[in-house]
Amino acid sequence: MAQDAPRRSPARSPAPLPARSSWSSADTRPLRPMLCLLHEPDTQLRQLTKEIADRWPEAPPYGGRFTEIVPHLTIAQGQEDAVLEETEAGLADRLPSTSHITSIELMVHDGVQWQERASFALGG
């Protein structure tokens, strides 16, 4: 989200996500050198992202650069292909994985690196 994104919480507490969420790998090459995990199903995360973007239209996700926001967990970015391939191979026998999502973190890019700006508990 934009660097000057508000610190306010959403108007209501977001609904809890399923107790067991599945994560699987996605290789985004050649679009960009990034390896990430995709949340399945992602319907609730997409809805939450839309609600936040609608509430703060002055601070769209990723500064408005993308028309579709795909909920994900970045594992590696900006590395050589060999590093991405090794990382993906190391994850292969561990996926899909399940987890319980209890919070969502707002990450901002300061021009150098991503940093956590705020954390929002889910289902509270």
Side-chain angles (χ1 to χ4, degrees):
M1 294 197 174
Q3 188 158 341
D4 58 349
R7 289 182 180 260
R8 298 170 290 189
S9 297
R12 60 182 173 77
S13 178
L17 293 174
R20 299 192 78 79
S21 302
S22 180
W23 296 89
S24 61
S25 69
D27 185 347
T28 61
R29 291 171 287 163
L31 299 176
R32 54 191 311 201
M34 182 173 104
L35 180 65
C36 63
L37 299 181
L38 299 179
H39 184 265
E40 298 168 352
D42 69 358
T43 307
Q44 287 179 295
L45 286 174
R46 285 178 184 265
Q47 182 60 34
L48 179 59
T49 301
K50 181 185 179 317
E51 289 175 16
I52 291 169
D54 288 348
R55 176 153 171 119
W56 292 288
E58 72 277 11
Y62 301 101
R65 290 192 319 260
F66 305 104
T67 56
E68 179 183 16
I69 304 302
V70 178
H72 67 279
L73 174 62
T74 302
I75 300 299
Q77 183 175 1
Q79 306 293 319
E80 298 293 326
D81 281 347
V83 172
L84 294 176
E85 290 166 8
E86 181 179 342
T87 303
E88 185 174 30
L91 288 171
D93 63 344
R94 294 179 173 98
L95 297 173
S97 175
T98 57
S99 65
H100 181 76
I101 300 174
T102 59
S103 66
I104 299 289
E105 278 60 47
L106 172 63
M107 304 296 291
V108 295
H109 195 266
D110 65 6
V112 178
Q113 64 184 6
W114 288 96
Q115 297 182 20
E116 182 179 320
R117 173 79 174 267
S119 181
F120 303 96
L122 297 177

